[in-house]
Amino acid sequence: MSFNPFNLEGKIAVVTGANTGIGQGLAVGLAEAGADIVAVGRSAPTETQKLVEEAGRRFAFVEADLGQADKAGSVAEAASAPFGTPSVLVNNAGTIMRNDALDFTEEEWDTVMDVNLKSLFFLCQAFARKWVEAGTGGKIINIASMLSYQGGIRVASYTASKSGVMGLTRLLANEWATKGINVNAIAPGYIATNNTAALRADEKRNSEILGRIPAGRWGAPSDLAGAAVFLSSSASDYVHGTTVPVDGGWLAR
Ligand code: NAP
């Protein structure tokens, strides 16, 4: 077969929050491109395991509550045990809380920031330390959002966290590009998952959102797989610090 720069055979990819939604779509897409998958999260990824194994790849699960950022080091250790040190880290796990900014509580702030930004940073650090020590390099893909670019409404901690993800992706790329570590992000548009169930259930918001998506439909988790395969593969070796929107054209409007 001719050279394929998107081939992930022999690579091991860690995907956080892979039991459902976008994380599941990413894990399955990476597996179909050849990677073995280590899922990290708090819920058993039974369905994802089945799909990855059907794609002919190995699958392992590390149970972890990513609300606790001090666990990042032990998560990286546990994720390296089943198949060896992974060379791809996909920071997908995320949560959202909605409330008026005037009423927003410290708990609503901390719960979201701890998972979406603090754990994400310390997981990047834990894996990068391993790659620097081994001299191997690696690939990090952080999951950003349209609210990395826009303000949103009633989601103060989510917007702060996702704007932070885009900034941090740039900072880490600046520090680690010379070490062979590619740090990039994917910014999904409006994707049909649990995270957006409330929006889709609200008829007015649903039609407002659909009305400004040039593609004319909500995205599916599988729509994000191509960008993740690209950013995990040698095809992106000179791509550093960028955030790729996969949004059906939302940002172009
Ligand atoms: P989802 O279906 O709600 O999935 C979120 C994932 O994160 C689940 O696996 C969830 O685990 C995990 N998670 C949340 N809190 C956790 C914690 N404390 N510890 C461990 N795992 C935790 O939502 P999704 O839409 O697929 O979201 C995936 C990522 O994409 C998130 O970062 C989200 O912000 C981002 N995103 C989504 C959209 C969209 O339109 N859907 C758009 C832009 C960005 P449990 O199942 O156990 O809760």
Side-chain angles (χ1 to χ4, degrees), residues 147-217:
L147 299 189
S148 303
Y149 303 90
Q150 301 175 311
I153 188 161
R154 303 189 73 246
V155 287
S157 52
Y158 188 82
T159 299
S161 70
K162 294 298 183 177
S163 299
V165 166
M166 191 158 78
L168 200 52
T169 296
R170 294 181 177 130
L171 171 129
L172 295 176
N174 291 338
E175 292 201 22
W176 296 344
T178 55
K179 302 181 194 305
I181 300 174
N182 296 80
V183 188
N184 292 291
I186 295 170
Y190 285 80
I191 313 296
T193 67
N194 299 335
N195 176 297
T196 52
L199 286 179
R200 281 175 290 121
D202 178 337
E203 214 170 292
K204 183 165 172 286
R205 289 290 286 129
N206 187 42
S207 66
E208 281 168 3
I209 288 166
L210 268 181
R212 76 153 278 183
I213 300 175
R217 64 169 177 89

Side-chain angles (χ1 to χ4, degrees), residues 26-238:
L26 296 176
V28 173
L30 295 176
E32 284 170 348
D36 293 321
I37 304 296
V38 181
V40 172
R42 62 185 176 182
S43 304
T46 317
E47 193 182 52
T48 309
Q49 171 158 14
K50 186 169 167 281
L51 295 168
V52 167
E53 289 175 350
E54 277 170 8
R57 303 299 158 194
R58 295 180 296 174
F59 184 91
F61 175 48
V62 172
E63 192 174 341
D65 180 352
L66 298 172
Q68 297 172 300
D70 59 340
K71 298 284 191 302
S74 56
V75 167
E77 284 311 313
S80 303
F83 311 131
T85 306
S87 62
V88 178
L89 167 65
V90 183
N91 279 307
N92 162 78
T95 192
I96 189 163
M97 299 187 96
R98 299 175 200 279
N99 199 354
D100 293 342
L102 286 174
D103 300 324
F104 221 79
T105 66
E106 191 174 350
E107 196 199 339
E108 288 165 336
W109 181 268
D110 287 343
T111 302
V112 173
M113 293 296 271
D114 283 353
V115 178
N116 294 16
L117 193 57
K118 191 172 177 184
S119 265
L120 175 145
F121 171 72
F122 284 102
L123 281 175
C124 290
Q125 183 192 63
F127 281 91
R129 282 177 173 167
K130 282 181 164 295
W131 296 333
V132 169
E133 195 183 316
T136 54
K139 302 266 184 183
I140 294 175
I141 302 168
N142 295 323
I143 300 303
S145 165
M146 292 297 97
L147 299 189
S148 303
Y149 303 90
Q150 301 175 311
I153 188 161
R154 303 189 73 246
V155 287
S157 52
Y158 188 82
T159 299
S161 70
K162 294 298 183 177
S163 299
V165 166
M166 191 158 78
L168 200 52
T169 296
R170 294 181 177 130
L171 171 129
L172 295 176
N174 291 338
E175 292 201 22
W176 296 344
T178 55
K179 302 181 194 305
I181 300 174
N182 296 80
V183 188
N184 292 291
I186 295 170
Y190 285 80
I191 313 296
T193 67
N194 299 335
N195 176 297
T196 52
L199 286 179
R200 281 175 290 121
D202 178 337
E203 214 170 292
K204 183 165 172 286
R205 289 290 286 129
N206 187 42
S207 66
E208 281 168 3
I209 288 166
L210 268 181
R212 76 153 278 183
I213 300 175
R217 64 169 177 89
W218 284 74
S222 58
D223 284 317
L224 299 156
V229 169
F230 167 60
L231 293 174
S232 299
S233 73
S234 63
S236 62
D237 280 352
Y238 198 60

